[in-house]
Amino acid sequence: MPIPSKISELVERFEQHGEDYRAGKYNETQLRRDFLDPFFGLEGLGWDMDNSTKAGENVREVVQEYPLKIEGANKKPDYCFRNGNTEKFFVEAKKPSVNLKDDLRAAFQTRSYGWNKGLPFCVLTDFEEFAVYDCRFKPVNTDSAQTARTFYCKYTEYDAKWSEIEALFGREAVRGGALDKQAAQKVKKGTVSFDADFLHLIEGWREALAQNIARHNKGISQADLNYAVQMTIDRILFLRICEDRDIEPYGQLQNISGKKGVYGELGELFRQADNRYNSGLFHFGKEKARPGEGDSLTLNLKIDDSVLHSIVYKLYPPQPYNFRLVPVEILGQVYEQFLGKVIRLEKSSALIEDKPEVRKAGGVFYTPSYIVDYIVRQTLGPLCEGKTPKEVGELKVLDPACGSGSFLIGAYDFLLNWHLDYYTQNAPEKLAARREGPICRETKDQAEGAAPLWRLTVKEKKRILLNNIYGVDIDRQAVEVTKLSLLLKVLEDGTPERAPTPQSRLLPSQERLLPDLDANIKCGNSLIGHDFYDEKGWDTYSKAEQERINAFDWKDKELGFYSILKNGGFDAIIGNPPYGFHQIHTQDSKDYFKKHYAASEGSFENYFLFYEASLKLLRPAGYHGYIVPVTWLTIPSAVSLRRFVLSNFAVRSIAWLPELVFKDAQVNTLVSIIQHSEAHTVKILISDQNDPSKNSGAKGEIEQSKFIDSDYTIFLFENSVDTELLKRIDSFSVPMSSLARPCSGYNPYEVGKGIAPAGTVHTIETVVEKPYHSPSKLGSEWKTEAVGRDLGRYSLKWPQKRFIKYGPWLSAPRDPSNFLGSRLLVQEITGGNDRRIVATFCDQELYHSRDIIPIKCDNECPSPFYLLGILNSWLMTWRHHRRSPKAKKALFPKVLVSDLKNIPIRAIDFADKSDKARHDEMVKLVERMLDLHKQLATARTAPETTALQRQISATDKQIDKLVYALYELTDDEIALVEGA
């Protein structure tokens, strides 16, 4: 792309007057106005620098973040460029007198901005020089200016380099995902994100504090220790963040950390914070307007100065943390991982270990922000449309399993932006002029003549938070983190208006800066109410058991949400409910669920129960948005849940997420948007992109009534031609379950998901060594074991060095005949690029892992070879991919036991000569395929291998042709199947 004429003019001007510009009197403000605004503006890289389109404050393309000094060291970047409300890159401007090529301080500052904000690339420029930094490398203040620099040029090279600059930072390029694509390329060694680095830091704090408190405070309980450590970290971090946001005096924590009696000094700061903020984070004394006695534990603890000094030291330069820039959402991601561990006391020593439910689930999985944003927009968007702030103030938004608060932060952020847009579009000057107006103008260090920047007042943000946002979680630590995140969001824009100083006492006319969230964010078990104890009584359970059950009564007048439910319920319910069974499902819990939840009829899967429980809390016309596994659409155990949903609510949309959303979690998910409506004939909109907000339109539409008519099983992505063919195939077939007996593969590992490392068994409380595997046969109990990858279509690679010790110690079929006799073996994970069903025949003794599904063949009519040919046919793979949620669009598409039971087998009338001939022909072809694969396994030359592969391919096509004839497909239908 040729350089724009405006940029050429700027280059020429700088060339003529460069000496004047390099003089110290020419400052950054002049540089921005004269050179950088036009460089990045409409005549240069195409950005709307002055918001000429009058876009709302939260979606204006360029935010000029004029300097806000914090002890002269930290400041905001000069420009933030955005796509919608998403920051894409920062630009830091320096006056031309600075030598950017070698100035390590300017480079460190620029990299710190991007690293703290989580942006991969940022720009440092004085127009004379233009440098790009990869901000995924943690910045160190002693790094050279060249460290992590990916691009550099001088103004004299703009003509030659313009196409490179425009391809990354041009408005259209950024909107098209150029920076995202660049960031997605192979990451070099040494990169570390803010969240990973900060998680490592606070995990170290937890361990040090836990050990120190346990050592010096004999008799402290495990629960009190966890509480004390969590609150100490939260309080220090909160005050440090407030320093960088100009709310607390910068460096106050650093100043006291070098004194003797550090914790006593911190205690005084915490008490002052209680006076100033009104947050439950700092609540030490009894007050009339607040329930409870307050925290009488933590300030009386003994903590060594050295531990606290080490913590505080790492929060200040030379460390690169700039908490003005760190989004609350990133802190939430850090805390989500942090909360996955718990402190356990053992003989006055503190040990850090995974929580049982986290260990059972295989880790902590944070919902990506684009999923949170999508669910929030789909639920709150329709509810806010056409309303006034007063009407929106009546909306109640709930996450009943809020964790660290990511969904509530997303909802709160949406409402803040909605209100700011509304106010700035409706006479903002008049609103700001009011004594208690909801917005004010940002004037601090703003350039003369710049367009006004409006922000919500802290008072207004408090009102929105208290009126709209509600959450519940069974984990007390999670509740405290959610509160902390929401409170930080209140203070995110900087210094509140008319705030009391940290040391001052409140005047009668003043109110504390922050709201008390105890009435909004509550700790309890969303699935179990106080009526849990009706059967046996409270005294039956120990204090520890009561704490674990943590019963929560939604309709309790003081401890629940009585008034909201009395008025009809919550307007929006959002979240990512727990998956799996977790440790709370004791027999008593299961008995309770059976009485209270229809979804428990088939399974005690947590997200089934949360679906039902939360939908019951939804008011008429309210919206519900969850991200959950795809399995609830079709598996038999979810039929009661589907019946409950489809019979009582309108499913507005299902967004199928083709890729794995959760890092390191092999679970396929979808987003469902459901409305409390009687409109059961509503058309469900279907999309199939991982970020459904980017879909140009729905993939398809399906009438909800169709699923009610088809036994409440939800199938997606069907067109009318597919549907008719599928119906016809099923119409003259019988399910395989009536011909063969599928049985699930056994599970020798007792894990919640996947296969555990060989030689271990995971239980709820611990990991026990169990040497069940060996590369050699160690005795009569040791049996040859196959795994899924040993299977092929019509072939079996006999394992040579994999043996399992079979016996009652395994969670396996107790009858070894399950691994004997004639049977078909089916691979759980479909294979190859075309994701074919993979099956073979076995009549020898062979034990196998759970990723193989055996089908016992107890009769010869029809022959198991007849079944095998149909199973391995292309027609059955085509059908499976349209009928099974585990097959569609999945990275590891699965064949479930329920899928095999329902495979439609063309019935054979053996009295009919034509039918019997087709059956016998299939048996003959399959026998040939099995023999050809045995020959292929022993082939020794390339020509022999090639000849056998050609025979296999030809025989495979003959089997497919015979299957098409058996199911009476037309030429057009065959083309449809094979074209797929």
Side-chain angles (χ1 to χ4, degrees):
M1 178 178 178
I3 189 170
S5 59
K6 180 64 177 179
I7 306 304
S8 295
E9 291 175 13
L10 295 176
V11 169
E12 184 177 346
R13 188 196 311 172
F14 199 94
E15 180 70 27
Q16 291 176 353
H17 306 289
E19 291 301 321
D20 294 335
Y21 297 138
R22 294 184 191 96
K25 292 182 179 180
Y26 192 75
N27 60 37
E28 290 178 26
T29 302
Q30 292 171 301
L31 173 78
R32 290 196 297 268
R33 184 176 61 242
D34 294 343
F35 287 94
L36 298 187
D37 285 357
F39 182 92
F40 288 97
L42 297 176
E43 296 180 87
L45 289 172
W47 294 91
D48 184 4
M49 304 297 289
D50 299 319
N51 195 27
S52 60
T53 59
K54 307 299 182 185
E57 289 298 316
N58 65 307
V59 292
R60 61 189 297 160
E61 288 185 2
V62 185
V63 178
Q64 302 198 25
E65 308 258 38
Y66 291 93
L68 292 171
K69 294 181 180 179
I70 305 175
E71 287 296 306
N74 297 323
K75 52 178 291 231
K76 279 187 171 182
D78 297 291
Y79 299 95
C80 175
F81 291 82
R82 307 193 295 186
N83 183 12
N85 63 352
T86 303
E87 291 90 351
K88 304 307 292 185
F89 68 98
F90 288 145
V91 171
E92 174 61 14
K94 295 295 179 186
K95 55 187 179 182
S97 60
V98 179
N99 176 17
L100 300 188
K101 185 177 182 180
D102 302 312
D103 193 302
L104 58 85
R105 292 182 63 185
F108 174 76
Q109 185 180 28
T110 304
R111 292 171 58 198
S112 295
Y113 291 154
W115 186 74
N116 279 279
K117 195 69 172 178
L119 302 178
F121 301 104
C122 286
V123 173
L124 172 64
T125 185
D126 58 0
F127 185 80
E128 182 181 16
E129 300 169 272
F130 188 96
V132 180
Y133 286 93
D134 186 337
C135 299
R136 293 169 293 182
F137 292 87
K138 182 180 178 180
V140 179
N141 66 336
T142 55
D143 286 342
S144 71
Q146 290 76 35
T147 302
R149 192 162 67 195
T150 62
F151 178 88
Y152 174 85
C153 74
K154 300 198 72 172
Y155 74 102
T156 52
E157 300 174 90
Y158 285 156
D159 193 5
K161 302 283 189 179
W162 185 258
S163 60
E164 292 181 58
I165 296 172
E166 194 278 335
L168 273 184
F169 299 104
R171 176 183 182 272
E172 295 307 316
V174 171
R175 290 170 68 88
L179 288 173
D180 302 319
K181 293 172 185 174
Q182 183 75 7
Q185 294 180 4
K186 186 176 180 181
V187 179
K188 297 178 181 178
K189 280 189 175 182
T191 60
V192 56
S193 62
F194 171 91
D195 54 340
D197 178 82
F198 201 67
L199 174 63
H200 178 73
L201 182 68
I202 63 174
E203 284 183 331
W205 296 354
R206 171 170 54 196
E207 184 171 1
L209 281 169
Q211 294 284 6
N212 198 259
I213 293 174
R215 185 184 310 120
H216 292 302
N217 300 271
K218 302 300 181 183
I220 189 170
S221 70
Q222 185 168 296
D224 284 349
L225 178 60
N226 276 276
Y227 174 81
V229 170
Q230 179 79 53
M231 295 303 284
T232 302
I233 291 174
D234 290 354
R235 289 162 182 166
I236 291 173
L237 186 57
F238 177 86
L239 292 176
R240 178 65 186 89
I241 291 171
C242 286
E243 289 184 16
D244 271 2
R245 293 181 178 175
D246 252 2
I247 302 167
E248 292 284 329
Y250 182 83
Q252 64 175 353
L253 291 172
Q254 189 176 36
N255 293 337
I256 67 172
S257 68
K259 300 179 181 180
K260 287 186 177 181
V262 177
Y263 195 56
E265 297 283 343
L266 276 177
E268 184 56 33
L269 279 184
F270 295 163
R271 287 190 176 91
Q272 292 172 7
D274 185 20
N275 173 55
R276 192 175 193 214
Y277 296 109
N278 191 45
S279 164
L281 186 61
F282 306 101
H283 179 198
F284 303 109
K286 186 173 178 60
E287 298 179 28
K288 291 182 180 180
R290 301 170 77 174
E293 298 293 328
D295 174 10
S296 60
L297 167 72
T298 58
L299 296 188
N300 295 313
L301 295 174
K302 177 177 173 51
I303 305 176
D304 283 339
D305 291 351
S306 58
V307 173
L308 295 169
H309 173 76
S310 177
I311 290 173
V312 173
Y313 172 79
K314 293 177 181 178
L315 289 173
Y316 289 91
Q319 296 298 322
Y321 305 119
N322 184 334
F323 294 105
R324 173 176 286 279
L325 294 174
V326 177
V328 171
E329 292 78 2
I330 289 184
L331 289 173
Q333 292 177 33
V334 173
Y335 263 114
E336 190 88 3
Q337 298 295 321
F338 183 78
L339 291 176
K341 295 182 184 294
V342 67
I343 305 166
R344 181 167 63 85
L345 272 175
E346 189 172 288
K347 296 180 180 179
S348 298
S349 179
L351 303 176
I352 312 298
E353 60 185 22
D354 287 339
K355 291 178 178 176
E357 65 269 28
V358 172
R359 185 166 59 248
K360 184 101 173 149
V364 176
F365 307 109
Y366 191 84
T367 310
S369 59
Y370 67 89
I371 297 294
V372 174
D373 292 343
Y374 175 76
I375 290 176
V376 167
R377 288 197 303 273
Q378 294 298 307
T379 52
L380 277 176
L383 293 171
C384 292
E385 188 174 355
K387 289 186 171 64
T388 65
K390 183 178 180 180
E391 292 169 324
V392 169
E394 298 298 319
L395 299 178
K396 309 300 179 185
V397 184
L398 170 73
D399 183 348
C402 60
S404 67
S406 59
F407 277 88
L408 295 181
I409 287 293
Y412 186 39
D413 195 51
F414 176 92
L415 291 169
L416 293 177
N417 288 328
W418 184 92
H419 281 85
L420 184 59
D421 280 348
Y422 185 94
Y423 293 139
T424 54
Q425 294 168 15
N426 291 273
E429 291 83 2
K430 290 183 179 179
L431 291 172
R434 293 180 184 173
R435 186 171 181 274
E436 296 291 340
I439 61 172
C440 60
R441 181 171 178 172
E442 180 64 79
T443 58
K444 188 177 290 186
D445 294 320
Q446 193 168 349
E448 184 179 349
L453 294 175
W454 301 102
R455 65 177 175 88
L456 297 174
T457 63
V458 168
K459 188 179 182 69
E460 177 67 3
K461 294 172 77 173
K462 287 163 59 178
R463 183 192 69 82
I464 296 167
L465 176 56
L466 289 174
N467 284 350
N468 297 125
I469 303 299
Y470 299 85
V472 177
D473 200 276
I474 195 171
D475 188 328
R476 189 167 301 281
Q477 288 178 286
V479 168
E480 294 305 323
V481 169
T482 294
K483 291 178 182 178
L484 174 64
S485 297
L486 290 168
L487 295 175
L488 289 172
K489 196 73 179 176
V490 173
L491 300 176
E492 195 168 49
D493 288 334
T495 309
E497 314 76 31
R498 296 181 290 279
T501 63
Q503 291 77 25
S504 68
R505 300 299 299 173
L506 286 170
L507 299 174
S509 61
Q510 290 180 306
E511 64 177 63
R512 285 160 159 165
L513 293 182
L514 295 176
D516 186 341
L517 295 179
D518 285 349
N520 292 65
I521 313 299
K522 298 177 182 288
C523 183
N525 188 337
S526 291
L527 301 178
I528 294 178
H530 290 160
D531 57 348
F532 177 84
Y533 297 103
D534 290 350
E535 188 75 21
K536 294 185 177 180
W538 289 81
D539 295 341
T540 308
Y541 300 90
S542 67
K543 182 179 179 182
E545 288 174 322
Q546 291 179 23
E547 289 177 351
R548 180 179 54 79
I549 295 166
N550 202 0
F552 179 75
D553 190 342
W554 288 91
K555 295 182 179 180
D556 188 284
K557 290 186 177 181
E558 294 184 2
L559 302 177
F561 296 106
Y562 172 80
S563 61
I564 293 175
L565 296 179
K566 182 182 178 181
N567 290 326
F570 291 90
D571 298 274
I573 298 176
I574 55 180
N576 175 18
Y579 309 161
F581 298 88
H582 295 328
Q583 85 283 15
I584 66 168
H585 294 347
T586 61
Q587 187 56 51
D588 286 352
S589 296
K590 292 177 182 178
D591 291 342
Y592 180 85
F593 295 148
K594 287 177 183 178
K595 294 179 180 178
H596 291 78
Y597 296 100
S600 69
E601 181 181 329
S603 171
F604 296 106
E605 162 66 59
N606 256 340
Y607 85 84
F608 288 11
L609 302 174
F610 267 94
Y611 245 128
E612 182 176 340
S614 56
L615 284 168
K616 289 175 179 176
L617 300 172
L618 195 65
R619 72 178 303 143
Y623 282 85
H624 182 284
Y626 263 1
I627 176 171
V628 292
V630 301
T631 49
W632 81 278
L633 296 182
T634 59
I635 59 175
S637 61
V639 67
S640 297
L641 171 63
R642 292 193 297 271
R643 184 183 296 114
F644 171 76
V645 173
L646 294 170
S647 301
N648 298 286
F649 302 88
V651 182
R652 293 298 180 189
S653 68
I654 293 176
W656 188 276
L657 308 176
E659 299 172 18
L660 297 179
V661 167
F662 300 104
K663 185 180 179 182
D664 301 325
Q666 300 295 326
V667 57
N668 298 106
T669 52
L670 57 79
V671 171
S672 65
I673 304 299
I674 299 172
Q675 189 176 24
H676 193 168
S677 168
E678 295 294 328
H680 303 317
T681 58
V682 66
K683 287 185 177 181
I684 300 176
L685 301 179
I686 311 298
S687 62
D688 65 345
Q689 285 190 216
N690 240 46
D691 187 349
S693 65
K694 295 181 179 178
N695 242 357
S696 56
K699 176 79 174 182
E701 298 181 350
I702 303 177
E703 292 283 351
Q704 181 168 322
S705 57
K706 173 184 176 181
F707 304 130
I708 297 176
D709 295 338
S710 60
D711 197 25
Y712 302 97
T713 300
I714 301 176
F715 299 118
L716 306 182
F717 306 118
E718 293 182 1
N719 56 47
S720 58
V721 178
D722 287 356
T723 302
E724 289 306 312
L725 178 55
L726 288 165
K727 284 182 178 178
R728 192 156 57 79
I729 288 172
D730 291 348
S731 67
F732 54 80
S733 303
V734 293
M736 181 177 281
S737 58
S738 67
L739 300 172
R741 180 163 55 87
C743 57
S744 61
Y746 71 98
N747 170 14
Y749 302 107
E750 295 184 1
V751 296
K753 65 157 201 160
I755 295 179
T760 63
V761 168
H762 288 233
T763 68
I764 286 179
E765 298 299 334
T766 186
V767 177
V768 182
E769 292 300 319
K770 297 286 185 181
Y772 293 150
H773 283 81
S774 171
S776 60
K777 188 176 178 69
L778 301 178
S780 60
E781 293 176 327
W782 291 84
K783 309 294 184 180
T784 300
E785 183 197 30
V787 295
R789 62 178 177 272
D790 294 324
L791 300 190
R793 294 178 65 249
Y794 304 103
S795 67
L796 173 61
K797 180 182 177 182
W798 201 260
Q800 298 296 318
K801 294 184 178 181
R802 193 184 307 111
F803 296 86
I804 186 166
K805 186 179 182 182
Y806 180 78
W809 46 82
L810 297 177
S811 176
R814 297 290 182 257
D815 183 358
S817 66
N818 284 280
F819 308 105
L820 305 170
S822 296
R823 60 203 186 281
L824 304 183
L825 302 180
V826 184
Q827 194 179 66
E828 183 188 39
I829 306 296
T830 56
N833 293 330
D834 51 9
R835 296 172 176 170
R836 295 290 294 264
I837 292 176
V838 175
T840 193
F841 176 78
C842 181
D843 58 2
Q844 303 179 57
E845 180 182 22
L846 181 64
Y847 295 74
H848 51 75
S849 61
R850 65 176 181 173
D851 58 356
I852 293 176
I853 304 172
I855 302 176
K856 296 285 287 184
C857 302
D858 294 334
N859 57 55
E860 295 296 325
C861 295
S863 163
F865 295 153
Y866 174 78
L867 302 182
L868 182 59
I870 291 176
L871 262 181
N872 275 330
S873 71
W874 182 246
L875 179 62
M876 286 306 112
T877 287
W878 176 83
R879 179 195 177 277
H880 175 66
H881 280 260
R882 275 149 186 77
R883 283 301 198 196
S884 170
K886 279 288 185 183
K888 265 191 268 290
K889 302 291 183 181
L891 185 60
F892 299 109
K894 288 186 177 183
V895 179
L896 303 176
V897 172
S898 58
D899 297 330
L900 290 178
K901 287 182 177 180
N902 293 312
I903 288 284
I905 301 299
R906 168 67 159 79
I908 294 295
D909 181 358
F910 284 90
D912 185 301
K913 291 184 179 180
S914 175
D915 255 16
K916 186 177 185 304
R918 286 176 171 174
H919 171 271
D920 293 346
E921 183 182 358
M922 177 69 78
V923 171
K924 181 180 177 181
L925 288 171
V926 170
E927 287 176 334
R928 185 180 186 209
M929 282 290 276
L930 291 168
D931 183 61
L932 286 169
H933 276 281
K934 288 179 181 178
Q935 295 181 52
L936 183 64
T938 59
R940 302 181 64 180
T941 66
E944 183 183 7
T945 298
T946 300
L948 287 167
Q949 288 173 335
R950 287 173 177 169
Q951 292 179 61
I952 288 171
S953 178
T955 308
D956 210 12
K957 289 178 181 177
Q958 286 181 279
I959 291 174
D960 277 338
K961 185 176 180 180
L962 178 57
V963 171
Y964 294 144
L966 280 165
Y967 289 87
E968 301 180 10
L969 266 67
T970 66
D971 289 344
D972 288 342
E973 289 168 339
I974 293 171
L976 171 71
V977 170
E978 296 194 341

